[in-house]
């Protein structure tokens, strides 16, 4: 029995008979030769079928294969410089597991398709080279985040998805029936993270979060994944350093382990290689000055829009840390800057190349009385926050944390135009299918 090989590692079988199992990606015919391309989820390899070298049945079976038919292929691996990947397989036998009927062909052909068509066929589109590469990078980024925190003594504490309150403003809440009551899909695990940080010191959560975003931008999903660390006794400076280290580590990890995927995406890796610490830092005040000089209509006190973020990051080849925004544009839980109480001790990390905010966080309000006042000012109901106030009643300490949106990071690292391709099954204002 020949060994079952993965296309990714096919080189180690050069000169040997192997079996691969996968799908027909493409087929080219040239007289007495057939050139089927097979994919198996780890890569693509070109096969060669020589009419005189196989039985007439096998030749005919390959010749009539349709795109995405599933197959088991036996053959000899051969180094071939001209082949993509450097190897090809000399097919000796082929078994068809499922033949896609020629009268009902695979809907996604090598020709160009519109985005809506591809999105409607997302369950099939995922099989493409490009989408597989994106999923590979996404996987690496998620693993890198987990390793980053695990290696630094953080304890993963899972936070709930069904919650009784809002965390990031009430306008983007998804409401769900909860027996005789209402619940909301979580916008962020932060509030629960703060409880966990008081229990374990350094914690993180990593899960799906939800925002009923009515915006149709290339940066917004209604369901996205966020990794959120929270650290007891940490200040804004500490958490800025942590965010910088995390972002740098994630980029480095993809560069070192996912070169082939980045290449498949035609990503200019020199732009990523430039992202080494230290990252530039700007206060909100300085950022507003730069924006005004660049002709933005921004006025002090307003939040940055996507265009402002792009304008700002244009000046810097590395991620940019913008800190101390006016409290009025930030969430109720932000600690005020003692040096200037109308500013919040917060930070946003803006990705270069116009990819916008990838990280948001800061130092939390640790003071009971001030937090009560902020909850009132934000017109939030008091009762559902009683447990959160307990964290300030019993041994309150300074603490800080942030959230990094995985899809924004994937979009940037892969160099994608829109976040819809960064997640296997995107959820957006006008998209809930498939
Ligand atoms: O800035 P945000 O809203 O911060 C929080 O939720 C904090 N509670 C996190 C914390 O401190 N623990 O969101 C954090 C990040 C953003 O920087 C962005 O990367 C991503 O989450 N994000 C989105 N990604 C895709 N689609 C959306 N609609 C997003 N909203 C936020
Ligand atoms: Mg934010």
């Amino acid at each position: 029995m020949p060994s079952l090989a993965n296309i990714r590692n096919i080189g180690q079988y050069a000169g040997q008979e192997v079996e691969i199992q996968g799908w027909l990606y493409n087929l080219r015919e040239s007289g007495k030769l057939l050139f089927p391309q097979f994919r198996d989820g780890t890569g693509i390899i070109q096969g060669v079928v020589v009419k005189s070298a196989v039985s007439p049945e096998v030749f005919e079976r390959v010749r009539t294969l349709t795109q995405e038919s599933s197959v088991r292929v036996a053959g000899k691996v051969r180094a071939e410089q001209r082949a993509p990947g450097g190897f090809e397989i000399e097919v000796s036998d082929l078994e068809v597991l499922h033949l896609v009927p020629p009268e009902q062909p695979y809907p996604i052909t090598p020709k160009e398709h519109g985005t809506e068509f591809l999105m409607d066929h997302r369950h099939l589109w995922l099989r493409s080279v490009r989408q597989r590469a994106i999923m590979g990078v996404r996987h690496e980024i998620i693993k890198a985040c987990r390793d980053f925190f695990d290696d630094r003594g953080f304890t993963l504490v899972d936070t709930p998805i069904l919650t009784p309150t809002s965390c990031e403003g009430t306008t983007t809440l998804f409401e769900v029936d909860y027996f005789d009551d209402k619940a909301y899909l979580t916008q962020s695990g932060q509030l629960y993270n703060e409880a966990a940080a008081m229990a374990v010191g350094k914690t993180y959560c990593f899960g799906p979060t939800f925002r009923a975003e009515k915006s149709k931008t290339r940066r917004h999903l209604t369901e996205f994944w966020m990794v959120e660390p929270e650290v007891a006794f940490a200040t804004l400076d500490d958490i800025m350093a942590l965010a910088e280290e995390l972002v740098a580590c994630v980029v480095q990890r993809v560069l070192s382990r996912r070169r082939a995927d980045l290449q498949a995406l035609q990503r200019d890796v020199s732009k990523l290689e430039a992202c080494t610490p230290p990252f530039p830092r700007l206060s909100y005040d300085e950022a507003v000055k730069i924006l005004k000089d660049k002709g933005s209509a921004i006025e002090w006190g307003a939040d940055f829009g996507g265009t402002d973020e792009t304008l700002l990051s244009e000046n810097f080849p590395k991620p940019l840390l913008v800190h101390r925004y006016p409290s009025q544009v930030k969430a109720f839980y932000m600690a005020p800057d003692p040096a200037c109480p109308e500013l919040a001790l917060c930070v946003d990390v803006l990705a270069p190349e116009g990819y916008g905010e990838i990280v948001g966080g800061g130092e939390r309000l640790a003071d009971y009385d001030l937090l009560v006042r902020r909850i009132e000012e934000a017109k939030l109901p008091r009762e559902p926050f009683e447990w959160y106030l307990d964290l300030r009643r019993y041994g309150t300490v300074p603490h800080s944390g942030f959230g990094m949106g995985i899809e924004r990071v994937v979009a940037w690292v892969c160099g994608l135009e829109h976040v819809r391709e960064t997640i296997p099954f995107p959820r957006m204002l006008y998209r809930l299918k498939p």
Side-chain angles (χ1 to χ4, degrees), residues 99-165:
L99 185 73
V100 175
E103 64 280 6
Q104 208 174 56
Y106 187 69
I108 303 176
T109 55
K111 71 162 200 206
E112 285 277 314
H113 293 283
T115 307
E116 281 308 297
F117 177 87
L118 290 170
M119 274 294 162
D120 286 341
H121 293 84
R122 185 71 176 157
H123 50 293
L124 301 177
W125 188 23
L126 292 177
R127 301 181 189 190
S128 73
V129 172
R130 174 182 160 87
Q131 298 306 318
R132 209 207 60 78
I134 296 170
M135 284 186 284
V137 173
R138 179 185 171 98
H139 167 87
E140 197 66 53
I141 287 173
I142 290 173
K143 184 76 165 60
C145 291
R146 290 195 182 282
D147 289 347
F148 179 88
F149 291 115
D150 295 350
D151 292 348
R152 284 165 181 74
F154 284 67
T155 303
L156 172 76
V157 179
D158 299 312
T159 54
I161 287 173
L162 289 167
T163 63
T165 50

Side-chain angles (χ1 to χ4, degrees), residues 255-320:
L255 280 171
S256 66
R257 298 203 189 169
R258 293 283 168 172
R259 285 274 167 176
D261 289 337
L262 293 174
Q263 202 180 355
L265 295 164
Q266 298 175 319
R267 181 65 166 114
D268 178 355
V269 289
S270 69
K271 295 241 165 70
L272 297 174
E273 281 162 345
C275 294
T276 49
F279 296 160
R281 292 164 191 225
L282 285 181
S283 68
Y284 171 88
D285 290 8
E286 293 166 317
V288 168
K289 280 195 200 95
I290 293 182
L291 285 173
K292 284 190 159 165
D293 286 347
K294 291 188 144 212
S296 163
I298 187 100
E299 286 302 329
W300 195 98
D303 202 358
F304 299 146
T307 321
D308 294 316
E309 288 176 357
T310 304
L311 273 177
L312 267 180
S313 60
E314 268 173 9
N315 283 24
F316 304 94
K318 297 183 185 193
L320 170 68

Side-chain angles (χ1 to χ4, degrees), residues 330 348 357 360:
K330 291 290 176 185
D348 279 3
E357 179 195 335

Side-chain angles (χ1 to χ4, degrees), residues 327-401:
S327 303
Q328 65 196 52
V329 299
K330 291 290 176 185
F332 71 94
Y333 52 70
M334 300 274 188
D337 183 355
C340 182
E342 62 266 32
L343 298 179
L345 291 177
C346 65
V347 62
D348 279 3
V349 180
L350 310 183
E353 301 173 70
Y355 281 93
E357 179 195 335
I358 49 172
V359 169
E363 193 168 326
R364 321 306 189 187
L365 244 181
D367 180 72
Y368 176 87
D369 294 320
L370 197 47
L371 183 56
V372 167
R373 215 158 75 216
R374 283 290 159 79
I375 290 174
E376 282 165 6
E377 283 166 8
K379 300 205 170 50
L380 293 165
R382 166 81 180 258
E383 194 280 325
F385 287 100
E386 281 302 333
W387 69 267
Y388 185 63
L389 287 164
D390 268 355
L391 307 177
R392 280 70 181 169
R393 287 187 184 105
Y394 305 110
T396 189
V397 298
H399 60 289
S400 305

Side-chain angles (χ1 to χ4, degrees), residues 167-168 187-191 193 205 209-211 213 215 219-230 330-331 333-334 347-349 356-362 364 400-409 419:
C167 175
E168 293 298 320
Q187 298 167 309
S188 156
Q190 181 197 320
L191 306 186
N193 259 352
C205 66
T209 48
F210 305 86
R211 308 268 170 108
E213 300 272 10
S215 36
R219 295 173 185 169
H220 287 93
L221 295 163
T222 54
E223 177 178 312
F224 62 97
W225 285 66
M226 202 175 0
V227 61
E228 298 179 82
E230 192 72 32
K330 291 290 176 185
Y333 52 70
M334 300 274 188
V347 62
D348 279 3
V349 180
E357 179 195 335
I358 49 172
V359 169
R364 321 306 189 187
S400 305
F402 64 79
M404 182 169 86
I406 295 303
E407 290 72 19
R408 299 262 182 100
V409 175
V419 286

